[in-house]
Amino acid sequence: MKQIHLPGIDLNLLVIFDALFTEGHVTRAAKRLGLTQPAVSHALGRLRHLFDDPLFIRSPKGMIPTAAATDMAAAIRTVLDQVEVVLGTERSFDPSVSTRRFAIGLSDYSAFVLLPQLSVRITSEAPGVSLLVRHTNVTIGHSMLDDGDVELIAGVFPSPPSHLREEMLYEDDFVCAGRLENPGLADALDLERYLSLRHLQVSMRGEPHGLVDQVLEKIGKQRSIALTAGHFLTAPLLVQDTDLIATEPRRLFERWQDKIPLRLLRPPLDIPSFRVVQAWHARHDADEGHAWLRRVIGNISQTV
């Protein structure tokens, strides 16, 4: 490993590297940092000397990072995030007087299940605390944590890499839902009748087949999907006004039953349940305010 004399290195160069990597343009990086363009260009020269690599190549589309720059970008961003935590985070956290704003990522499903009670708890315990909720999903959740777009995500996500933490909140299973007057639900819902109905499929990525279809495929069966919707929260309203049947998470429909006349039935096939988790970056492990938020979310997940 190359020997580095850390006291002789200007660590502000890492801030400039991060801005160049993010903006892809010297002028925009300078504006972001409040520096002149010549100052950023001079710093880039020092960075190239420090890392013995061109780092960024000029092109008509801006500054293109080299392979070396791309490899080190995430690590440099993590270092800067940790410095920001050390300098900017209060060592103790009192929710009753804090005015902190938390940025969290929720899918529309997890927002529907968790956000109402979370809002009530924060209003009660931490009236000065505010939430910035950004939409996330299984594809972008972990990258949002890496990029610092959010401090915490909650929903259904794959197993995280080692620098991310995860805590299970609850398990959910599936129900078949339709309007009370749906003639297809008048009798017992066996597999034959189930396959004869017209189905609503919810897919955040617009895919016309999902987990239910994978289960059916294993037993050599196929359902008729009449409508694929991109948002979970449209499903109760769509089955209310049509004879479509939806096979979706139980908590999505149970909370609508006192508002919409729905019939919920057990699916006539074995669909595995799924885990809903909260996840965060390791840089927040020692953050007392973040730990409080995780505890609150963990507590309310036991009652939803």
Side-chain angles (χ1 to χ4, degrees):
M1 179 180 290
K2 180 181 177 181
Q3 293 295 318
I4 299 295
H5 181 59
L6 192 58
I9 295 175
D10 181 1
L11 296 181
N12 285 318
L13 292 175
L14 300 184
V15 177
I16 295 173
F17 174 95
D18 181 68
L20 284 167
F21 187 84
T22 301
E23 299 294 341
H25 197 280
V26 171
T27 301
R28 290 199 298 268
K31 183 177 181 180
R32 173 177 174 172
L33 297 170
L35 300 174
T36 64
Q37 182 176 338
V40 173
S41 296
H42 177 68
L44 177 56
R46 296 172 63 194
L47 282 163
R48 287 168 170 163
H49 176 74
L50 176 64
F51 291 107
D52 193 22
D53 187 88
L55 296 179
F56 300 95
I57 308 300
R58 295 184 185 276
S59 79
K61 296 183 178 181
M63 304 292 284
I64 307 299
T66 65
T70 301
D71 287 344
M72 68 179 72
I76 289 176
R77 180 66 256 173
T78 297
V79 169
L80 296 177
D81 285 338
Q82 290 173 340
V83 171
E84 289 174 358
V85 169
V86 170
L87 296 179
T89 302
E90 299 175 356
R91 303 309 296 173
S92 61
F93 178 82
D94 183 349
S96 66
V97 298
S98 175
T99 58
R100 180 168 172 177
R101 184 180 72 175
F102 293 96
I104 65 175
L106 301 174
S107 66
D108 60 346
Y109 160 77
S110 57
F112 176 74
V113 174
L114 297 172
L115 195 53
Q117 289 196 39
L118 178 58
S119 179
V120 170
R121 283 285 298 273
I122 288 179
T123 300
S124 173
E125 298 180 19
V129 167
S130 60
L131 287 180
L132 173 62
V133 181
R134 293 192 165 108
H135 183 265
T136 190
N137 59 47
V138 65
T139 303
I140 63 173
H142 289 165
S143 63
M144 291 179 73
L145 293 175
D146 283 333
D147 295 341
D149 295 331
V150 294
E151 301 165 64
L152 180 145
I153 57 176
V156 181
F157 304 99
S159 297
S162 59
H163 66 282
L164 299 182
R165 307 292 190 249
E166 179 184 272
E167 178 185 19
M168 179 174 166
L169 297 175
Y170 61 86
E171 284 194 52
D172 205 353
D173 59 0
F174 288 80
V175 294
C176 296
R179 66 188 183 98
L180 288 178
E181 297 81 10
N182 188 329
L185 302 180
D187 300 320
L189 188 63
D190 57 19
L191 184 58
E192 181 179 0
R193 177 175 290 275
Y194 179 81
L195 296 176
S196 73
L197 301 175
R198 300 172 73 248
H199 292 259
L200 165 68
Q201 153 79 0
V202 179
S203 171
M204 304 299 293
R205 291 178 287 183
E207 297 175 352
H209 297 88
L211 176 61
V212 175
D213 303 285
Q214 295 172 16
V215 173
L216 286 170
E217 185 178 358
K218 290 180 180 179
I219 59 175
K221 302 294 183 180
Q222 184 177 353
R223 63 177 177 164
S224 174
I225 299 177
L227 175 61
T228 299
H231 300 282
F232 278 103
L233 298 188
T234 62
L237 302 177
L238 288 169
V239 298
Q240 175 195 21
D241 296 329
T242 68
D243 284 335
L244 295 175
I245 179 174
T247 309
E248 298 296 341
R250 177 180 299 276
R251 284 173 172 81
L252 178 64
F253 289 103
E254 283 186 338
R255 302 183 70 181
W256 280 98
Q257 279 190 294
D258 61 344
K259 302 176 180 65
I260 297 176
L262 296 175
R263 176 166 291 157
L264 305 186
L265 299 170
R266 182 175 180 177
L269 64 161
D270 187 16
I271 307 172
S273 60
F274 60 92
R275 301 168 69 249
V276 176
V277 303
Q278 60 177 339
W280 63 95
H281 199 285
R283 60 178 172 260
H284 295 299
D285 281 348
D287 182 337
E288 292 189 14
H290 200 277
W292 169 83
L293 179 64
R294 299 195 303 265
R295 285 195 301 271
V296 170
I297 293 176
N299 289 339
I300 65 175
S301 71
Q302 304 306 307
T303 64
V304 296

